[in-house]
Amino acid sequence: MASLDYDTPDASDRPWGGRAILHLDIDAFFASVAQLDNPKLRDRPVIVGSPGMRGVVSTCSYEARRFGVRSAMSSVQAKRLCPDAIWVPGDFARYHELSDAVFDILRAYSPVVLPVSIDEAFCDVTPNPVNRSHPVDVANLIQKQVAELGITCSIGLSSSMTVSKIGSDYQKPRGLTVIYPGEEEAFLAPLPIRILSGIGAATAQRLDDIGVHTLGDLAQLGDQDACMLLGSVGITMRDRACGIDERSVAPTDVVKSVSNENTFLEDLSEKDDVMRELGHIAEKVARRLRKKELAGKTVSLKVRTSDFDTHGSSITVPYPVDDLAQMIPLIEELLPKVWHVGHPVRLLGVGVSNFISGSEQLSLLEENDRIEDLDGKRELSRNIDAIREKFGTDAIRRGL
């Protein structure tokens, strides 16, 4: 490790061989925008979110993070940790304006940009005959131009998406972490397994219990042990712990899932109340699916309890789903897997994914014994959609 120079952003005198993938993450984005637009908030602990009893921290400035405040923390806990924090509401129009400006900077250096969220993106800056710029020089220029907008970013630069994403979080804020091709495994080895995307708290604890504490430990697992411990993704996760990730930065506008969730002002604990709300949420998802002319074979359910534990489960069926009547039986089947009656529920979410083509959908329907019933329900749903489109969402309601 001593020979690896991760904190020297002007290391462009070293030749770069192979792919160069950059991951940019805007530092404390929402809070940084608040401090940019209101100079009185600079160097002050700022929390973006609602300070009410049921509120949640959206994000916070680094000044607030020093007190232990974190995203998704309850407002009650945040106020206890940092009573002098300044609370501000979100301004999503402004966030999108600055986010677009940052992504435009990336696109000026490469046409291959993949936004991941409003404040982070991957960018392929591999040298080529048209653009011979050294990737480290490109990263430095991008970071400088983002700073000229009045906000800052951290960048990870390596040969893979996995390593670059970890690198962007390595020296926040204003960090530039460069991992040259061939040094990925050595960089990752001492890092805790929890830092690898896809390994949650429960999995990390299970691995920790058997002595797998670091990515280096995970990288040493054989195929059989990796699959036994991590299931079908075991080998992929083991390979990524080694720094092996062949994914390309491939921008796509293809929708992979449609979902909706709702956080409640008061916890729900009765099954009837939970199912009623799930019905409303699922109906919104179904309406969005039909509007996008999509149907999927996988339905997912998300439940967050009052103690902020989040549980999820999904089910895949052989027929396309785009209607509430199809979703409800599947949701009822999933619910006992993620929630026990009486346990207070703070948030519920429903999603549909695993989309199929129109021809595949037709084929599946033709093989389905319930084709007439499904077609009738779809026709009813489309008529309801048309009424709402013309007269408003509340013009007609289903009896749930």
Side-chain angles (χ1 to χ4, degrees):
M1 284 291 294
S3 64
L4 301 182
D5 199 2
Y6 303 120
D7 57 356
T8 305
D10 58 350
S12 59
D13 55 330
R14 294 180 59 185
W16 190 285
R19 295 196 309 169
I21 295 177
L22 176 152
H23 181 264
L24 179 149
D25 191 357
I26 306 175
D27 299 322
F29 184 33
F30 295 174
S32 295
V33 173
Q35 291 175 319
L36 170 66
D37 291 345
N38 184 355
K40 293 180 180 179
L41 299 180
R42 292 175 186 173
D43 302 319
R44 302 288 300 278
V46 174
I47 299 177
V48 180
S50 171
M53 289 293 293
R54 302 292 300 174
V56 178
V57 174
S58 176
T59 190
C60 61
S61 67
Y62 284 94
E63 293 83 2
R65 295 184 189 192
R66 297 191 188 107
F67 291 87
V69 180
R70 294 291 182 269
S71 299
M73 178 180 287
S74 72
S75 298
V76 173
Q77 185 179 2
K79 285 191 288 187
R80 186 165 57 246
L81 291 171
C82 190
D84 296 327
I86 302 169
W87 291 75
V88 298
D91 184 349
F92 286 92
R94 181 67 168 136
Y95 301 152
H96 281 288
E97 176 187 348
L98 279 167
S99 176
D100 290 344
V102 171
F103 294 162
D104 284 345
I105 291 172
L106 291 176
R107 293 187 182 98
Y109 290 95
S110 171
V112 188
V113 176
L114 176 62
V116 179
S117 65
I118 195 171
D119 61 351
E120 62 174 311
F122 288 99
C123 180
D124 191 322
V125 292
T126 304
N128 57 63
V130 176
N131 182 7
R132 300 177 183 274
S133 299
H134 194 289
V136 177
D137 291 338
V138 173
N140 270 306
L141 288 169
I142 289 171
Q143 201 166 44
K144 179 182 178 181
Q145 291 181 17
V146 170
E148 291 172 353
L149 296 174
I151 55 179
T152 64
C153 68
S154 293
I155 290 175
L157 179 64
S158 77
S159 63
S160 79
M161 294 176 71
T162 292
V163 180
S164 293
K165 181 165 175 59
I166 292 174
S168 68
D169 198 44
Y170 192 69
Q171 301 181 90
K172 272 186 163 291
R174 303 179 185 88
L176 172 52
T177 302
V178 179
I179 305 96
Y180 273 78
E183 298 177 350
E184 299 89 352
E185 187 169 4
F187 168 72
L188 296 174
L191 302 180
I193 54 175
R194 187 68 176 84
I195 205 170
L196 186 62
S197 178
I199 295 184
T203 301
Q205 184 60 56
R206 186 169 68 251
L207 292 171
D208 190 69
D209 289 342
I210 63 169
V212 180
H213 310 298
T214 66
L215 293 182
D217 296 331
L218 181 57
Q220 297 301 313
L221 294 179
D223 290 358
Q224 185 174 354
D225 287 339
C227 290
M228 180 181 67
L229 292 169
L230 296 170
S232 60
V233 298
I235 294 176
T236 297
M237 300 301 284
R238 188 275 316 279
D239 287 349
R240 290 183 182 174
C242 296
I244 301 171
D245 181 0
E246 299 300 326
R247 291 178 298 166
S248 298
V249 181
T252 175
D253 294 328
V254 176
V255 178
K256 294 184 178 180
S257 66
V258 174
S259 62
N260 184 255
E261 60 184 43
N262 191 17
T263 300
F264 306 107
L265 294 176
E266 296 183 3
D267 292 335
L268 308 178
S269 56
E270 299 296 328
K271 183 178 180 181
D272 287 348
D273 294 334
V274 170
M275 282 303 304
R276 182 181 65 252
E277 294 300 330
L278 283 171
H280 293 316
I281 295 168
E283 187 174 22
K284 291 180 181 178
V285 173
R287 193 160 66 245
R288 291 175 184 173
L289 286 168
R290 292 189 295 271
K291 189 171 184 178
K292 296 175 182 289
E293 297 184 351
L294 295 171
K297 295 189 288 184
T298 299
V299 175
S300 303
L301 178 62
K302 175 181 177 182
V303 174
R304 179 174 297 154
T305 52
S306 59
D307 52 8
F308 284 88
D309 280 342
T310 303
H311 307 275
S313 186
S314 63
I315 185 171
T316 299
V317 291
Y319 52 88
V321 172
D322 69 351
D323 188 83
L324 177 64
Q326 298 169 290
M327 290 186 192
I328 289 299
L330 302 177
I331 290 171
E332 288 179 330
E333 183 176 342
L334 290 170
L335 188 58
K337 299 179 181 180
V338 295
W339 178 68
H340 299 294
V341 175
H343 200 161
V345 171
R346 181 185 183 87
L347 175 147
L348 292 169
V350 175
V352 173
S353 58
N354 192 12
F355 297 130
I356 61 177
S357 66
S359 59
E360 184 182 357
Q361 179 173 339
L362 181 60
S363 174
L364 284 167
L365 283 171
E366 288 172 345
E367 295 172 3
N368 197 298
D369 292 337
R370 297 178 297 160
I371 181 171
E372 292 183 5
D373 184 40
L374 288 175
D375 277 348
K377 290 173 180 175
R378 282 192 173 85
E379 185 62 29
L380 174 61
S381 297
R382 283 192 288 268
N383 289 336
I384 292 174
D385 292 342
I387 292 172
R388 285 174 168 159
E389 187 74 24
K390 186 174 182 178
F391 298 105
T393 304
D394 295 328
I396 185 170
R397 287 182 174 271
R398 290 179 184 264
L400 299 174

